[in-house]
Amino acid sequence: MKLNLTKKLILFIEIIVGFVVVCGGLITFFIVQNSLQKQVYSQLQSITLLKKNSVNLYLKNGITEIEYLANKNSLIFDYINKPTTINELDLRTEFEDITNENKTLTGVSILNKNGEVLVSTNTEDEGKIYSNEDFFKKAQIQTTLQDYYFNVKTKEPAMFVASPILDSTGKFVGMVLGNISVKDINEIVTSRSGLGETGETFIINSFNMVVTDLSKETDAAFRKTIYTPETKTCLSGKEVSTVTADYHADSVVGYWSWFPELKSCVVTKIDSKEAFAPARNSALWFILVLLMLAVVVGIIGFIGGNSFIGPLKKLRDQIQKVKSGEFDVTVDINTKDEIGDMADVFNDMARNLSKYKSTVETEVTDRTMQLNEKVNDLEQTKKAVINLLEDIEKQKKLSEQQAQELEKFKLVIENTTQHVIITDPDGVVIYANAAASKITGYDNAEIIGSKPSLWGRQMPKGFYEDMWKTIGVDKKTFAGEIENKRKNGEVYIAKSIISPVLDDKNNVKFFVGLESDISKEKALEKALVKEKESVDQKVIERTQELKEERARLLASINSIPFGFIIADGSNNIIMKNTAIMDIFKFNEEKNISFTDVVKFFGTTFNFEHKVEQCSRDKKVCELNDILVGSKIYRGIIAPIIVSEEDTSIGYIFLLEDITEAKVMERSKDEFFAVASHELRTPLTAIRGNSSMILDMYKDKIKSKDVTEMLVDINDASKRLIGIVNDFLDVSRLEQGKIEIKNTEFGISSTINKVIKSVKEGADTKNITLNYKKTKEVKVFTDEDKVEQILFNLIGNAIKFTPAGDVSIETKVSGNFVKISVTDTGSGISAKNEALLFRKFQPAGEQILARDVTKSTGLGLYI
């Protein structure tokens, strides 16, 4: 958009005024802000000092009270020296009166010289030992104020003061400990008097932990840490005043002051927005006034601009007419200034241009006629020149093509990694590419004008004579390996090709030489030869190791007491031991095959099918009770798998003759069947007859000793029957002959049934059986087994509980019912917990003390 002079003048004035407004506003803002910042720092410092003095005064009140009790209170001194003569209740009452009067203290305690709390307003603290605490060691010499700490019991910050009790000789005999009301200190510190709406004060201890409340985070005490450069400086004992980001990343003006009494840092801050609000308001008012001034200046500039620019507009209009070819114009401006002078000059110029126009028109006509004549001559010359230019253009294109081809050739030679040189017939280098300098180490300026002997002369004299004969006399290409020497003295091996370039008369015009540095390839070739020799040696050594390893493996396999076979994926047996040959009754020399193994099992067991199944499923298969003739065998087929994704590459087959073990097992079954009948029958008779005598003839038996013997006989028979039953259960369990008969029944009814059966034994020991009856829950399992387990668990609880109670509780958890049995007995030591479920192993403190509990150690095992 085009602007006239009036608008430009006004815009220029407004820009100047705007610049003044912005600069003035910023300067005003920074001046006011700087002044305010100093004022805020002073205010924050005063508030911090006031709060520190208030806290010190508050602490001094409590410290003075504790020191008085430690030094002046005769009742406490007498109690420390003669505790039996003073009533502790009187001391507690006096301490409670002190805490009621002195709001600084929330509790008072007396400690003896060993650090034990003797008397305290909080009776739960009595008996505690503080001898290992740092404050106890310091307070033996002088009154010590303990730093802020987090009381795990109350879940709140805490602080206390300790003062020593000294006897007449100055010897330490005890200590008075006072708990400081941290809540009141928190209120003194966090009160926002004089800090506006966003200001706050808080304390950070030497571990960068906030120990008082924060306005922006509730319950921050001993839960939030603040790591800032200002905090670090403050905790080193210095003061800091600055504008920075607070713990919530808000800009604040803050004052950090070291508080030596608490070994902490007191932070007083206020948000920057609130602190610098007056500075912003002052700057805004200043800018508003300047903007109003800018408007007034703009109006004045508009009026003045029109009066100044009016004559210039007239002059511009007349100039436009002259531009369009109208020279009979004049400007009517009568001002007595530079613009008037310009108008006069313009009028004179217009008159002169009008006269000149007439003269020029006449000369142009004459000149045009002369030019027409010359044009005809030029047309003839033009045709001749065009023909000449066409010939030149053709020659130029041909030269450009040749130059391009030459440039391509040069680029190829310059960018090849091979060393390329061109010499004259005498062997003097007239061209060398970049690779020549890179390989030899000589600059291009050093190579040009020299002979290749500059980097050569490393081969025998005869080598060079043969080379020159080939390229110079025979005029053939020479190819071979040659040793050269770089500028830095390093010798390298190069593959060299030198060809003579002949003219049309078969004379050598120049030589072209190409070289490739093959030093690394030669070194690698030597290394490979050496490595091959090393590998051959390692193969020989490893072969010997494998032979030794195979011998050890064969010895280990042959030492296995059962048959062992390793077969590959095609069922070719690649390893066997002597035990398998004995089982198959084969000669040691026989080459056993897969077919031999299949024939051994015959039709009684499909060995081939089982191998295929185990390999396909990639899992170990156990083969139990395989009958072959009169023998019984047990086997294992284990597929050999390299990784989860791969198929089986073979398998291991183990075979064990268990005929004798089966005979022993059968004999054991027969023994326990006989024992069940032969032992339980007489024991049942003894138990029944002794119970009958005690029930029917107890009143007729006059001898107390006889009665006790009958009771012992009856109890022993019951115990023996229980032991026999346990033995039989253990035997059945170990043989896997326990049958689980699942039925649906109510768990509460079963528990009540067990409680009823053991209640007599519990009443004898005055043990209470607690079972909170709940809504009946139906379960699906073997009721007899559940009853047996509960009987053992509850019986054990009664047996090992000298006094107290045994509680049974049921709780539904998902699709299961959890039953817990809890007693008040002494429990089991950690070292004996591992013995809980071992056979014949009671888990008491004395392993052999079975006469105390009459335990066989089978209950929990079953």
Side-chain angles (χ1 to χ4, degrees):
M1 183 180 66
K2 188 175 180 181
L3 298 176
N4 57 34
L5 286 174
T6 303
K7 292 181 180 178
K8 287 182 178 179
L9 181 61
I10 295 171
L11 180 62
F12 178 71
I13 294 171
E14 292 297 337
I15 289 172
I16 293 174
V17 173
F19 178 75
V20 173
V21 169
V22 173
C23 291
L26 290 174
I27 291 170
T28 303
F29 174 75
F30 287 122
I31 291 173
V32 175
Q33 184 185 30
N34 188 47
S35 177
L36 273 175
Q37 187 169 328
K38 292 179 180 178
Q39 184 179 346
V40 171
Y41 285 157
S42 177
Q43 182 182 359
L44 294 178
Q45 187 175 4
S46 299
I47 292 171
T48 303
L49 182 60
L50 180 63
K51 292 189 177 185
K52 285 167 65 175
N53 289 338
S54 299
V55 171
N56 278 332
L57 185 62
Y58 182 83
L59 292 173
K60 187 175 181 181
N61 190 26
I63 293 170
T64 303
E65 187 70 50
I66 294 301
E67 287 180 337
Y68 177 81
L69 291 174
N71 299 322
K72 304 295 184 181
N73 193 300
S74 59
L75 190 64
I76 293 175
F77 187 80
D78 292 341
Y79 178 76
I80 286 291
N81 290 283
K82 300 176 182 178
T84 56
T85 61
I86 306 299
N87 190 342
E88 294 179 354
L89 184 60
D90 294 340
L91 279 173
R92 289 195 193 94
T93 303
E94 182 174 348
F95 291 164
E96 288 172 357
D97 292 340
I98 290 171
T99 56
N100 290 332
E101 293 175 3
N102 191 328
K103 299 302 180 182
T104 304
L105 300 174
T106 60
V108 179
S109 305
I110 298 177
L111 282 67
N112 63 16
K113 63 182 180 181
N114 297 321
E116 181 183 1
V117 178
L118 302 177
V119 182
S120 175
T121 52
N122 184 3
T123 55
E124 293 181 1
D125 291 341
E126 293 179 358
K128 287 185 178 180
I129 306 296
Y130 290 106
S131 58
N132 291 328
E133 299 292 337
D134 289 339
F135 83 86
F136 181 79
K137 299 172 183 177
K138 294 177 182 177
Q140 294 181 22
I141 302 171
Q142 62 183 8
T143 301
T144 301
L145 182 66
Q146 175 67 4
D147 298 341
Y148 266 104
Y149 71 97
F150 187 75
N151 192 319
V152 179
K153 184 177 180 182
T154 63
K155 307 296 183 183
E156 292 180 351
M159 180 189 294
F160 55 80
V161 60
S163 184
I165 303 173
L166 307 176
D167 61 11
S168 58
T169 63
K171 184 180 178 181
F172 173 74
V173 295
M175 183 181 297
V176 179
L177 189 70
N179 297 88
I180 303 295
S181 175
V182 178
K183 188 179 293 183
D184 292 339
I185 295 176
N186 187 66
E187 290 179 0
I188 294 171
V189 172
T190 58
S191 63
R192 297 204 297 176
S193 175
L195 287 174
E197 296 180 359
T198 61
E200 68 171 324
T201 303
F202 55 88
I203 296 176
I204 302 173
N205 68 9
S206 57
F207 299 101
N208 292 91
M209 187 77 69
V210 176
V211 296
T212 57
D213 291 340
L214 297 175
S215 63
K216 296 179 182 178
E217 290 188 30
T218 57
D219 299 328
F222 280 94
R223 289 180 175 85
K224 183 177 181 65
T225 54
I226 297 178
Y227 295 95
T228 63
E230 295 80 18
T231 305
K232 182 179 180 181
T233 303
C234 178
L235 291 174
S236 67
K238 300 177 183 178
E239 296 181 351
V240 182
S241 299
T242 187
V243 178
T244 186
D246 71 349
Y247 56 88
H248 264 230
D250 297 328
S251 177
V252 299
V253 182
Y255 176 68
W256 287 258
S257 177
W258 172 245
F259 198 162
E261 289 77 11
L262 297 182
K263 296 177 183 165
S264 303
C265 177
V266 180
V267 182
T268 305
K269 67 177 185 63
I270 185 172
D271 283 6
S272 299
K273 290 181 180 179
E274 183 179 1
F276 298 138
R280 287 195 300 274
N281 294 337
S282 298
L284 287 174
W285 276 108
F286 183 81
I287 291 171
L288 184 61
V289 171
L290 290 178
L291 286 175
M292 293 175 64
L293 177 62
V295 172
V296 173
V297 171
I299 294 170
I300 295 171
F302 179 75
I303 296 170
N306 281 336
S307 63
F308 171 72
I309 295 169
L312 291 176
K313 287 182 178 179
K314 289 181 180 181
L315 183 59
R316 180 200 62 190
D317 294 339
Q318 299 304 320
I319 291 172
Q320 290 288 346
K321 290 179 180 181
V322 172
K323 180 182 177 182
S324 62
E326 184 180 349
F327 299 110
D328 295 331
V329 294
T330 57
V331 181
D332 185 16
I333 298 175
N334 297 319
T335 58
K336 302 297 183 180
D337 53 16
E338 287 82 354
I339 296 175
D341 295 339
M342 287 174 64
D344 294 338
V345 172
F346 175 78
N347 289 334
D348 291 340
M349 182 184 68
R351 286 191 293 268
N352 292 332
L353 286 173
S354 181
K355 292 177 182 178
Y356 182 70
K357 178 183 178 184
S358 300
T359 304
V360 169
E361 286 176 349
T362 301
E363 291 181 357
V364 167
T365 301
D366 296 338
R367 190 62 176 167
T368 301
M369 291 175 67
Q370 295 174 1
L371 287 173
N372 287 334
E373 293 174 358
K374 290 182 178 180
V375 165
N376 292 328
D377 296 335
L378 286 172
E379 283 295 330
Q380 299 298 324
T381 307
K382 177 182 177 183
K383 291 178 181 180
V385 171
I386 288 174
N387 293 330
L388 179 61
L389 288 175
E390 287 177 354
D391 294 338
I392 293 172
E393 187 66 26
K394 290 179 182 179
Q395 188 65 31
K396 179 181 177 183
K397 287 182 179 179
L398 181 61
S399 299
E400 286 178 352
Q401 289 176 356
Q402 292 176 345
Q404 288 174 359
E405 293 299 326
L406 183 62
E407 187 64 27
K408 289 178 183 178
F409 174 76
K410 184 178 179 182
L411 283 172
V412 170
I413 296 300
E414 283 296 330
N415 290 286
T416 185
T417 57
Q418 288 184 313
H419 165 152
V420 180
I421 61 171
I422 300 174
T423 73
D424 62 15
D426 296 324
V428 178
V429 179
I430 58 176
Y431 170 81
N433 68 347
S437 297
K438 184 176 180 182
I439 292 174
T440 64
Y442 291 96
D443 294 338
N444 193 265
E446 294 176 287
I447 295 174
I448 303 298
S450 300
K451 290 187 177 183
S453 57
L454 179 66
W455 57 87
R457 294 183 184 173
Q458 305 302 312
M459 303 296 289
K461 183 178 180 182
F463 176 86
Y464 295 110
E465 288 175 351
D466 291 342
M467 180 187 73
W468 276 107
K469 181 179 180 300
T470 301
I471 63 177
V473 178
D474 300 338
K475 300 177 183 178
K476 295 179 181 179
T477 299
F478 170 83
E481 293 181 2
I482 185 171
E483 281 191 6
N484 289 331
K485 192 174 187 180
R486 303 187 213 276
K487 186 176 180 180
N488 60 7
E490 179 186 352
V491 176
Y492 67 96
I493 301 172
K495 185 175 182 180
S496 180
I497 299 174
I498 305 172
S499 297
V501 178
L502 308 176
D503 60 14
D504 53 359
K505 295 181 181 179
N506 202 34
N507 294 321
V508 176
K509 196 172 183 180
F510 49 84
F511 297 104
V512 177
L514 285 81
E515 285 187 6
S516 299
D517 187 351
I518 59 170
S519 301
K520 291 183 180 178
E521 288 82 349
K522 284 293 181 180
L524 181 60
E525 185 180 327
K526 290 181 180 178
L528 287 173
V529 171
K530 189 175 181 181
E531 182 65 22
K532 181 178 179 300
E533 293 173 355
S534 175
V535 168
D536 291 342
Q537 181 62 31
K538 287 180 180 177
V539 168
I540 294 170
E541 294 173 357
R542 185 58 181 157
T543 302
Q544 182 62 29
E545 290 176 2
L546 289 173
K547 288 180 180 178
E548 295 174 358
E549 190 66 31
R550 178 180 174 83
R552 285 194 292 270
L553 179 60
L554 285 172
S556 300
I557 291 172
N558 286 327
S559 67
I560 298 174
F562 37 80
F564 179 91
I565 287 175
I566 297 179
D568 62 17
S570 301
N571 290 323
N572 298 314
I573 296 175
I574 57 178
M575 192 171 288
K576 64 186 185 301
N577 70 346
T578 54
I580 196 71
M581 302 300 284
D582 293 340
I583 291 173
F584 290 166
K585 294 184 171 44
F586 287 156
N587 190 308
E588 287 282 340
E589 314 257 329
K590 178 176 172 60
N591 290 324
I592 185 171
S593 66
F594 181 74
T595 305
D596 293 331
V597 180
V598 173
K599 284 182 180 179
F600 173 79
F601 290 108
T603 57
T604 59
F605 175 68
N606 192 339
F607 180 74
E608 184 175 4
H609 173 72
K610 198 65 178 178
V611 168
E612 291 175 357
Q613 178 187 343
C614 297
S615 299
R616 183 179 62 251
D617 296 342
K618 298 181 184 179
K619 66 180 182 180
V620 176
C621 300
E622 293 188 12
L623 317 176
N624 295 314
D625 299 341
I626 305 172
L627 183 63
V628 180
S630 61
K631 296 284 186 178
I632 302 172
Y633 295 96
R634 180 170 67 92
I636 293 175
I637 300 174
I640 302 171
I641 301 168
V642 178
S643 65
E644 291 291 334
E645 296 77 14
D646 296 334
T647 57
S648 171
I649 62 171
Y651 58 90
I652 295 173
F653 175 52
L654 302 175
L655 188 65
E656 181 183 11
D657 186 349
I658 58 171
T659 307
E660 292 184 8
K662 283 293 180 182
V663 172
M664 290 294 294
E665 184 180 337
R666 193 176 297 113
S667 300
K668 189 177 179 182
D669 290 346
E670 291 173 358
F671 167 76
F672 278 107
V674 171
S676 174
H677 180 266
E678 296 300 330
L679 290 176
R680 292 176 69 175
T681 300
L683 286 172
T684 302
I686 293 170
R687 177 185 175 186
N689 291 332
S690 61
S691 296
M692 192 180 299
I693 291 171
L694 287 171
D695 291 341
M696 298 178 63
Y697 302 104
K698 188 176 182 179
D699 297 336
K700 296 179 181 181
I701 299 172
K702 304 300 181 182
S703 173
K704 184 178 179 182
D705 293 337
V706 174
T707 303
E708 289 179 355
M709 284 189 288
L710 287 171
V711 170
D712 288 343
I713 291 169
N714 186 260
D715 290 343
S717 65
K718 290 179 182 178
R719 186 178 174 215
L720 279 172
I721 290 172
I723 291 171
V724 170
N725 289 336
D726 285 346
F727 277 130
L728 292 174
D729 284 344
V730 168
S731 176
R732 293 192 191 98
L733 282 167
E734 291 177 344
Q735 296 177 55
K737 293 187 177 181
I738 291 291
E739 294 183 9
I740 303 297
K741 299 176 181 178
N742 292 331
T743 57
E744 188 176 68
F745 61 93
I747 194 67
S748 295
S749 302
T750 303
I751 293 173
N752 286 324
K753 181 179 177 182
V754 174
I755 290 174
K756 186 176 180 181
S757 65
V758 299
K759 192 171 187 313
E760 182 181 352
D763 292 341
T764 303
K765 296 180 70 175
N766 292 323
I767 292 173
T768 305
L769 293 174
N770 299 320
Y771 173 53
K772 184 178 180 181
K773 295 183 179 179
T774 58
K775 183 179 179 181
E776 184 65 277
V777 178
K778 294 290 185 180
V779 297
F780 185 73
T781 184
D782 191 321
E783 184 176 8
D784 292 337
K785 301 297 181 290
V786 173
E787 184 178 332
Q788 183 180 7
I789 293 168
L790 288 173
F791 185 84
N792 274 339
L793 291 177
I794 298 172
N796 272 0
I798 295 170
K799 187 186 298 183
F800 295 102
T801 302
D805 58 76
V806 176
S807 300
I808 302 97
E809 180 184 5
T810 60
K811 183 179 180 181
V812 177
S813 176
N815 293 328
F816 294 88
V817 176
K818 179 180 179 181
I819 306 173
S820 303
V821 179
T822 310
D823 62 62
T824 58
S826 58
I828 300 169
S829 65
K831 67 180 180 180
N832 287 336
E833 284 181 2
L835 305 176
L836 270 177
F837 299 101
R838 289 189 184 178
K839 184 166 59 175
F840 303 123
Q841 187 63 75
E845 286 300 320
Q846 308 229 345
I847 293 175
L848 300 177
R850 290 197 178 100
D851 57 325
V852 178
T853 61
K854 298 180 181 180
S855 172
T856 62
L858 290 176
L860 290 182
Y861 175 75
I862 292 170

